[in-house]
Amino acid sequence: MSGAPAAAAGAAMSWSGKAGTLLRLAPLLRHSEVPAGLVLSWREWQQRGNCLLRLRQVFGGAAVAVRSSQADEDSSAHSQAGRYLTRLDVASADAPALAAAIDAVFASYGSARSQDEVFVQAMVQAEMAVVAATHAVEDGADYYAFSLAAGARTDAVTRGDVAVQTVYLAHEAPSPQRPDLALLHRALLELREHCGAQPLEAELVLCGQRVLLLQVRPLVLRGSPRSGLARRRLLAVEQRQLLQATAGCAGQRRVLALMPDWNTAELLGSHPRPLALDVFRLAIADAAWQRARRALGYRPLRQVSLLQPLAGRPYIDVRASANSLLPQALADSTAARLADAWQERLLAAPQLHDKYEFAIAQTCVDFDFDAQWRERYAGVLAPAELAHYRDTLRSITARCLAPQTLAAGLARLRRLEQPAHADADADALAVACRRLPRDGGLAFALIARLAFVYEALVRSAVARGALQPERLLLLQRSCRSVTRDFLRASGHAHAFGFLRAGTFEITTPSLGQRELTATVAEAAAVEFAPTPAERRALDRLLGETGYRLEADALLHGYCRTREAREYAKYRLSAAVSQLLEQLAAHGASRGLDRDSLSWLELDRARAASPSAASLRAAANRSAHAIDAALRLPTVFDPRCTVQQVEIAAGTPTFVGNGRAAAPLVVVDMQTRPAAVPLRAVLAIASADPGYDWIFARQPAGLITAFGGPNSHMAIRCAELGVPAILGLGWERWQRLSQAKLLEIDTQALAVTPWTDV
């Protein structure tokens, strides 16, 4: 058992395994410290009795961590991070337990060699566990990256089973003003000074003013480190433009976010290509979104786009969204105060960005409206203004509950079912581009709004105690959406061949172009009927709010609009898919393949000459790659610097009340359905309707980076009884996706990754 000689300050680091590196650094560090530890080689461990006695003497029976320190671990070419075992919180006084932990770590090497080691360290008590890196781990972008998890566990970040906040600090940025980040930043800069130019990653613990270093290793990047300094400077100019007023939009504040309205990160991904962004803009974000709301009595917003892309990210303009969800009858001054209040609350709680209409904005009068107003916005409006706001919003809510409103939406949707020309010439494309927002986008936007209002009322009935949560789950499972028809037809993909993962992405094969094996047994029908007590409780709530319908009508309307929304979603997907296929055929006739088309804006994909299109595609591809090196938050405040980006720990949505433990399989847009094993837990970053084929593989569970309580997969999983954790956030989802087996417990609101099975 030994230490190691100290390296000279400023010398290039000679990476020599976990223990050797730490012991070399320990005497040099001023801004962090290495907990006391002993190195134990495989040769020494053959005399285990002596080793155990020595360990007990050194650590006094206190708890220790037994860490791997294999000979080829943490070299400049291979970091081997997470490959070998670590055993935490082992009592050094318990010889059998300590011996078992050391044996397990050595066994994880496969065949231990005489020079292989384990590193036994004093167990430290954490206030915050941290993984810090000198560059962004995914692509080497020039940010200091800090992943932070509060609590006593030192492995909280690396396991991925708790919420983690991530902070990206550009290399040119000044030291953070936040005290904990300032300590960590200083410690990381010192490590970089001693370890040389190679990117590195460190596991740290923050305890008061002390920074404890548990591990430092080279960060092996796929390519060379990337600089985003020039792009960040240009982005600062775009930020100033975002602070300008928008005609017709009330309110002083302007916030951008990825998920509060239309779940763009779920539908498009967090950084879509130009064509996908433009087709979504055409279908929904240019006009259909606000026309549907205006028809219901919400505030009109002509010539205002819901989408406000920034560095290629599909941000939603939250000020425009807020205005579109306020009653038309409100005075401008009242609308301005409400829009600003909603945005301020979102900035204060960015983790709620995918629960915007459940936890931020009040866009209908549900059974909990008054209590939520007092909790969130007391004092924002004068009593008379609040009464007027509530009354006008209640009228809109009543209109949404009326059966004839849904009938009108379905009637418009039926226009989309009429045969359309599938020709690939310019005239046929023009017709398809007019038809998509007019019939598909508008009908879907209207029906989706009605379904949300019913959802809000029924969820508020749960909050008021009229229904129990498990009864709501049963009600959801009793709905018979179009997904069940799809699953019954999964062996006949032509019936739903238009579906494609990444609905708006032209390079993704449609289901009709893929092999899908039918593996689904018909799910047993679930029936729901309210009990007499539930009827009385719901009728009482309906009477309080003045809505002229009874409990049974409310529950029937809930299922009917939920089913209609899913049907409308499929019909819109079919129209989008047809447009993409027409564009592909039209492009092929001009010598442009799907990949080239995906990098073009819609107008250029339709009309640009082949040479001009190729040049534009190359320019857009290059710009996309540059923008990809930027780190931007899920909720963006244009007043804040982009040199320091804080991504709040997510608040995921747990769907269902079951448990699942199964091998984890990562699925993306290019995954072949037949390659996905049955009954696995699936990890999908952004799961839109085109991923519905996964249910033909009988998944044991599902996790996503993006998604909320009313998202597409929330509805699917609730209906089909699949345990799911949605909206984990990108960073935490990435860490969980490294697990070999994942355990989901939606009742305990827990997820446990296993990497050593």
Side-chain angles (χ1 to χ4, degrees):
M1 288 179 278
S2 61
M13 171 58 65
S14 174
W15 301 98
S16 50
K18 187 180 299 182
T21 298
L22 287 174
L23 292 173
R24 285 174 181 271
L25 285 170
L28 305 176
L29 300 176
R30 295 176 295 113
H31 301 305
S32 63
E33 55 189 279
V34 178
L38 286 176
V39 181
L40 173 64
S41 72
W42 172 249
R43 183 186 298 111
E44 290 170 321
W45 182 234
Q46 304 317 299
Q47 304 295 320
R48 64 177 57 202
N50 293 336
C51 293
L52 291 169
L53 179 60
R54 176 65 174 149
L55 289 168
R56 180 168 183 170
Q57 291 172 342
V58 169
F59 295 106
V64 296
V66 182
R67 305 184 186 279
S68 62
S69 187
Q70 206 254 10
D72 64 355
E73 187 175 8
D74 295 347
S75 70
S76 58
H78 306 285
S79 79
Q80 308 284 11
R83 178 175 178 181
Y84 306 121
L85 289 185
T86 290
R87 289 288 185 253
L88 300 177
D89 207 19
V90 182
S92 60
D94 187 341
L98 182 56
I102 294 171
D103 282 338
V105 174
F106 273 127
S108 71
Y109 301 165
S111 177
R113 298 164 293 182
S114 60
Q115 69 269 32
D116 287 335
E117 301 168 336
V118 297
F119 189 33
V120 183
Q121 271 187 307
M123 195 69 195
V124 298
Q125 188 70 20
E127 292 178 4
M128 179 181 290
V130 182
V131 173
T134 59
H135 295 74
V137 175
E138 303 87 353
D139 58 2
D142 55 341
Y143 292 88
Y144 299 113
F146 303 92
S147 295
L148 317 168
R153 279 180 37 198
T154 60
D155 65 342
V157 174
T158 54
R159 278 184 63 85
D161 56 353
V162 298
V164 173
Q165 181 192 31
T166 302
V167 179
Y168 292 102
L169 186 69
H171 282 180
E172 75 274 11
S175 182
Q177 294 185 354
R178 197 173 123 181
D180 56 351
L181 286 177
L183 290 171
L184 295 166
H185 181 234
R186 186 173 62 177
L188 187 60
L189 289 179
E190 183 181 46
L191 286 173
R192 194 178 190 188
E193 174 188 343
H194 289 302
C195 294
Q198 178 164 357
L200 61 88
E201 183 178 55
E203 293 182 26
L204 305 164
V205 164
L206 198 58
C207 186
Q209 295 296 304
R210 298 171 64 204
V211 178
L212 304 177
L213 175 63
L214 303 183
Q215 183 174 353
V216 60
R217 52 184 171 258
L219 184 60
V220 181
L221 302 174
R222 297 189 184 97
S224 301
R226 306 169 65 186
S227 174
L229 175 59
R231 185 65 181 94
R232 283 191 289 273
R233 288 173 175 166
L234 289 175
L235 196 60
V237 177
E238 297 176 46
Q239 284 181 260
R240 289 193 289 272
Q241 295 171 346
L242 289 172
L243 295 174
Q244 298 174 4
T246 302
C249 270
Q252 298 298 312
R253 302 289 293 109
R254 192 183 196 184
V255 174
L256 307 183
L258 287 175
M259 289 288 288
D261 201 347
W262 281 96
N263 295 350
T264 49
E266 182 186 41
L267 286 173
L268 296 165
S270 58
H271 194 185
R273 296 183 182 188
L275 181 61
L277 200 61
D278 262 11
V279 174
F280 174 75
R281 198 195 309 262
L282 171 71
I284 299 295
D286 273 351
W289 68 288
Q290 59 87 15
R291 285 184 61 197
R293 295 172 185 181
R294 186 176 70 212
L296 293 169
Y298 290 105
R299 190 177 177 88
L301 288 178
R302 294 178 176 84
Q303 306 302 316
V304 176
S305 179
L306 179 67
L307 202 61
Q308 182 60 61
L310 186 69
R313 275 55 166 195
Y315 279 117
I316 292 298
D317 184 333
V318 183
R319 179 170 62 185
S321 170
N323 272 260
S324 77
L325 292 168
L326 290 167
Q328 181 176 358
L330 289 186
D332 287 349
S333 59
T334 304
R337 272 175 283 155
L338 287 168
D340 285 345
W342 291 356
Q343 292 180 93
E344 291 294 348
R345 179 172 168 83
L346 179 60
L347 287 174
Q351 71 276 12
L352 300 178
H353 72 114
D354 54 5
K355 301 171 182 63
Y356 179 72
E357 287 195 68
F358 292 109
I360 303 287
Q362 293 184 268
T363 62
C364 65
V365 176
D366 60 23
F367 305 132
D368 209 26
F369 179 91
D370 296 330
Q372 291 300 322
W373 174 267
R374 289 191 296 270
E375 178 184 328
R376 300 174 190 173
Y377 303 118
V380 170
L381 299 181
E385 292 173 317
L386 174 58
H388 180 57
Y389 167 47
R390 190 186 188 283
D391 287 345
T392 53
L393 195 58
R394 198 201 71 83
S395 296
I396 293 173
T397 307
R399 189 174 299 125
C400 292
L401 297 175
Q404 59 267 32
T405 310
L406 177 60
L410 290 171
R412 177 171 286 275
L413 188 66
R414 279 192 283 274
R415 299 184 193 176
L416 204 60
E417 298 171 358
Q418 298 170 3
H421 294 293
D423 298 335
D425 58 56
D427 290 340
L429 274 173
V431 171
C433 287
R434 288 195 299 270
R435 191 169 183 248
L436 179 61
R438 183 192 65 209
D439 298 332
L442 181 56
F444 179 43
L446 178 63
I447 293 169
R449 175 60 18 198
L450 307 185
F452 170 79
V453 169
Y454 270 100
E455 188 74 37
L457 261 72
V458 173
R459 284 176 181 263
S460 67
V462 173
R464 293 285 301 273
L467 287 175
Q468 294 303 307
E470 61 272 16
R471 293 286 288 165
L472 173 57
L473 282 174
L474 186 64
L475 174 64
Q476 291 171 341
R477 294 196 66 186
S478 73
C479 299
R480 307 293 293 182
S481 78
V482 68
T483 304
R484 294 180 184 269
D485 297 332
F486 163 65
L487 293 176
R488 281 194 296 271
S490 60
H492 308 282
H494 63 275
F496 293 88
F498 55 83
L499 289 173
R500 67 179 76 228
T503 299
F504 299 89
E505 177 51 57
I506 196 171
T507 62
T508 305
S510 67
L511 198 58
Q513 298 162 342
R514 292 180 165 185
E515 176 187 352
L516 179 63
T517 305
T519 58
V520 178
E522 177 67 17
V526 174
E527 301 296 335
F528 179 91
T531 66
E534 288 170 339
R535 278 196 180 91
R536 288 193 298 271
L538 289 170
D539 283 337
R540 183 173 62 254
L541 293 177
L542 288 163
E544 282 181 12
T545 45
Y547 297 130
R548 296 180 179 177
L549 71 164
E550 296 179 345
D552 285 329
L554 174 69
L555 299 176
H556 175 75
Y558 176 83
C559 286
R560 185 81 175 95
T561 54
R562 193 178 177 93
E563 293 161 357
R565 175 179 54 188
E566 299 314 296
Y567 178 70
K569 196 180 294 180
Y570 268 37
R571 296 270 47 89
L572 179 65
S573 297
V576 169
S577 188
Q578 179 174 313
L579 174 60
L580 294 179
E581 292 305 315
Q582 288 177 274
L583 283 168
H586 185 57
S589 71
R590 294 147 55 219
L592 298 172
D593 61 15
R594 289 175 183 262
D595 186 69
S596 297
L597 290 167
S598 73
W599 293 108
L600 296 174
E601 297 82 0
L602 178 58
D603 286 346
R604 286 186 167 89
R606 289 172 57 186
S609 68
S611 58
S614 296
L615 289 173
R616 182 68 177 184
N620 284 346
R621 185 185 290 109
S622 176
H624 190 278
I626 292 170
D627 284 344
L630 294 176
R631 294 300 182 269
L632 295 172
T634 52
V635 177
F636 182 75
D637 184 350
R639 300 172 302 178
C640 295
T641 177
V642 293
Q643 291 183 329
Q644 180 173 321
V645 173
E646 299 190 17
I647 299 176
T651 304
T653 296
F654 289 80
V655 177
N657 58 1
R659 296 182 62 187
L664 182 71
V665 177
V666 178
V667 173
D668 62 24
M669 288 191 291
Q670 301 303 323
T671 301
R672 293 185 304 107
V676 176
L678 295 176
R679 291 176 286 278
V681 172
L682 305 184
I684 307 175
S686 304
D688 66 1
Y691 283 96
D692 278 0
W693 61 261
I694 65 172
F695 297 107
R697 308 306 294 166
Q698 301 177 31
L702 173 68
I703 63 169
T704 70
F706 301 103
N710 208 34
S711 65
H712 177 76
M713 281 299 168
I715 295 164
R716 289 290 183 268
C717 291
E719 178 186 353
L720 299 174
V722 176
I725 307 177
L726 310 177
L728 285 158
W730 178 248
E731 285 74 14
R732 188 179 178 192
W733 180 86
Q734 281 188 305
R735 292 190 183 279
L736 287 172
S737 296
Q738 305 303 311
K740 294 180 180 178
L741 182 144
L742 201 68
E743 183 175 344
I744 293 172
D745 188 336
T746 58
Q747 285 186 311
L749 306 183
V751 55
T752 305
W754 301 95
T755 57
D756 54 352
V757 294

